[in-house]
PDB file of all heavy atoms in Angstrom:
ATOM      1  N   LYS Q  30      -8.686  -1.934 -22.469  1.00 74.00           N
ATOM      2  CA  LYS Q  30      -7.648  -2.672 -23.181  1.00 74.00           C
ATOM      3  C   LYS Q  30      -7.336  -1.968 -24.499  1.00 74.00           C
ATOM      4  O   LYS Q  30      -8.222  -1.527 -25.214  1.00 74.00           O
ATOM      5  CB  LYS Q  30      -8.103  -4.107 -23.439  1.00 74.00           C
ATOM      6  CG  LYS Q  30      -8.070  -4.989 -22.201  1.00 74.00           C
ATOM      7  CD  LYS Q  30      -8.440  -6.429 -22.522  1.00 74.00           C
ATOM      8  CE  LYS Q  30      -8.370  -7.293 -21.272  1.00 74.00           C
ATOM      9  NZ  LYS Q  30      -8.753  -8.705 -21.550  1.00 74.00           N
ATOM     10  N   GLY Q  31      -6.039  -1.854 -24.779  1.00 73.00           N
ATOM     11  CA  GLY Q  31      -5.628  -1.183 -26.001  1.00 73.00           C
ATOM     12  C   GLY Q  31      -5.517   0.318 -25.875  1.00 73.00           C
ATOM     13  O   GLY Q  31      -5.248   1.005 -26.860  1.00 73.00           O
ATOM     14  N   SER Q  32      -5.704   0.844 -24.663  1.00 79.00           N
ATOM     15  CA  SER Q  32      -5.653   2.293 -24.460  1.00 79.00           C
ATOM     16  C   SER Q  32      -4.218   2.776 -24.239  1.00 79.00           C
ATOM     17  O   SER Q  32      -3.399   2.107 -23.603  1.00 79.00           O
ATOM     18  CB  SER Q  32      -6.497   2.691 -23.246  1.00 79.00           C
ATOM     19  OG  SER Q  32      -7.854   2.369 -23.449  1.00 79.00           O
ATOM     20  N   HIS Q  33      -3.929   3.973 -24.774  1.00 86.00           N
ATOM     21  CA  HIS Q  33      -2.690   4.662 -24.432  1.00 86.00           C
ATOM     22  C   HIS Q  33      -2.819   5.125 -22.980  1.00 86.00           C
ATOM     23  O   HIS Q  33      -3.908   5.489 -22.528  1.00 86.00           O
ATOM     24  CB  HIS Q  33      -2.481   5.862 -25.351  1.00 86.00           C
ATOM     25  CG  HIS Q  33      -1.303   6.718 -24.976  1.00 86.00           C
ATOM     26  ND1 HIS Q  33      -1.390   7.734 -24.037  1.00 86.00           N
ATOM     27  CD2 HIS Q  33      -0.026   6.689 -25.378  1.00 86.00           C
ATOM     28  CE1 HIS Q  33      -0.201   8.296 -23.888  1.00 86.00           C
ATOM     29  NE2 HIS Q  33       0.647   7.685 -24.707  1.00 86.00           N
ATOM     30  N   PHE Q  34      -1.725   5.093 -22.218  1.00 86.00           N
ATOM     31  CA  PHE Q  34      -1.842   5.465 -20.811  1.00 86.00           C
ATOM     32  C   PHE Q  34      -0.666   6.306 -20.351  1.00 86.00           C
ATOM     33  O   PHE Q  34       0.420   6.291 -20.936  1.00 86.00           O
ATOM     34  CB  PHE Q  34      -1.953   4.220 -19.921  1.00 86.00           C
ATOM     35  CG  PHE Q  34      -0.658   3.457 -19.771  1.00 86.00           C
ATOM     36  CD1 PHE Q  34       0.203   3.712 -18.713  1.00 86.00           C
ATOM     37  CD2 PHE Q  34      -0.300   2.480 -20.694  1.00 86.00           C
ATOM     38  CE1 PHE Q  34       1.395   3.019 -18.570  1.00 86.00           C
ATOM     39  CE2 PHE Q  34       0.884   1.777 -20.570  1.00 86.00           C
ATOM     40  CZ  PHE Q  34       1.735   2.041 -19.504  1.00 86.00           C
ATOM     41  N   GLU Q  35      -0.930   7.044 -19.297  1.00 90.00           N
ATOM     42  CA  GLU Q  35       0.088   7.795 -18.571  1.00 90.00           C
ATOM     43  C   GLU Q  35      -0.206   7.580 -17.099  1.00 90.00           C
ATOM     44  O   GLU Q  35      -1.358   7.686 -16.673  1.00 90.00           O
ATOM     45  CB  GLU Q  35       0.012   9.277 -18.938  1.00 90.00           C
ATOM     46  CG  GLU Q  35       1.027  10.152 -18.219  1.00 90.00           C
ATOM     47  CD  GLU Q  35       0.976  11.606 -18.684  1.00 90.00           C
ATOM     48  OE1 GLU Q  35       0.228  11.899 -19.639  1.00 90.00           O
ATOM     49  OE2 GLU Q  35       1.679  12.433 -18.064  1.00 90.00           O
ATOM     50  N   ALA Q  36       0.801   7.228 -16.332  1.00 89.00           N
ATOM     51  CA  ALA Q  36       0.592   6.953 -14.905  1.00 89.00           C
ATOM     52  C   ALA Q  36       1.729   7.547 -14.100  1.00 89.00           C
ATOM     53  O   ALA Q  36       2.886   7.529 -14.526  1.00 89.00           O
ATOM     54  CB  ALA Q  36       0.517   5.453 -14.665  1.00 89.00           C
ATOM     55  N   MET Q  37       1.386   8.095 -12.938  1.00 93.00           N
ATOM     56  CA  MET Q  37       2.411   8.593 -12.036  1.00 93.00           C
ATOM     57  C   MET Q  37       2.023   8.249 -10.604  1.00 93.00           C
ATOM     58  O   MET Q  37       0.841   8.112 -10.285  1.00 93.00           O
ATOM     59  CB  MET Q  37       2.610  10.097 -12.204  1.00 93.00           C
ATOM     60  CG  MET Q  37       1.417  10.957 -11.860  1.00 93.00           C
ATOM     61  SD  MET Q  37       1.699  12.696 -12.266  1.00 93.00           S
ATOM     62  CE  MET Q  37       1.561  12.636 -14.046  1.00 93.00           C
ATOM     63  N   GLY Q  38       3.030   8.057  -9.783  1.00 92.00           N
ATOM     64  CA  GLY Q  38       2.727   7.672  -8.409  1.00 92.00           C
ATOM     65  C   GLY Q  38       3.900   7.893  -7.482  1.00 92.00           C
ATOM     66  O   GLY Q  38       5.049   8.026  -7.911  1.00 92.00           O
ATOM     67  N   VAL Q  39       3.597   7.929  -6.200  1.00 95.00           N
ATOM     68  CA  VAL Q  39       4.597   8.003  -5.139  1.00 95.00           C
ATOM     69  C   VAL Q  39       4.388   6.794  -4.231  1.00 95.00           C
ATOM     70  O   VAL Q  39       3.261   6.508  -3.818  1.00 95.00           O
ATOM     71  CB  VAL Q  39       4.466   9.303  -4.320  1.00 95.00           C
ATOM     72  CG1 VAL Q  39       5.484   9.325  -3.187  1.00 95.00           C
ATOM     73  CG2 VAL Q  39       4.627  10.517  -5.210  1.00 95.00           C
ATOM     74  N   SER Q  40       5.466   6.069  -3.956  1.00 93.00           N
ATOM     75  CA  SER Q  40       5.392   4.897  -3.078  1.00 93.00           C
ATOM     76  C   SER Q  40       6.387   5.045  -1.941  1.00 93.00           C
ATOM     77  O   SER Q  40       7.472   5.597  -2.120  1.00 93.00           O
ATOM     78  CB  SER Q  40       5.710   3.615  -3.850  1.00 93.00           C
ATOM     79  OG  SER Q  40       4.756   3.377  -4.862  1.00 93.00           O
ATOM     80  N   CYS Q  41       6.009   4.534  -0.788  1.00 95.00           N
ATOM     81  CA  CYS Q  41       6.894   4.561   0.378  1.00 95.00           C
ATOM     82  C   CYS Q  41       6.757   3.245   1.125  1.00 95.00           C
ATOM     83  O   CYS Q  41       5.641   2.800   1.403  1.00 95.00           O
ATOM     84  CB  CYS Q  41       6.530   5.729   1.285  1.00 95.00           C
ATOM     85  SG  CYS Q  41       7.573   5.851   2.752  1.00 95.00           S
ATOM     86  N   VAL Q  42       7.891   2.610   1.413  1.00 96.00           N
ATOM     87  CA  VAL Q  42       7.906   1.369   2.180  1.00 96.00           C
ATOM     88  C   VAL Q  42       8.977   1.489   3.255  1.00 96.00           C
ATOM     89  O   VAL Q  42      10.102   1.920   2.975  1.00 96.00           O
ATOM     90  CB  VAL Q  42       8.210   0.147   1.286  1.00 96.00           C
ATOM     91  CG1 VAL Q  42       8.175  -1.132   2.107  1.00 96.00           C
ATOM     92  CG2 VAL Q  42       7.222   0.051   0.135  1.00 96.00           C
TER      93      VAL Q  42
END
Side-chain angles (χ1 to χ4, degrees):
K30 285 184 179 179
S32 297
H33 174 274
F34 73 93
E35 179 176 354
M37 63 186 74
V39 178
S40 297
C41 180
V42 182

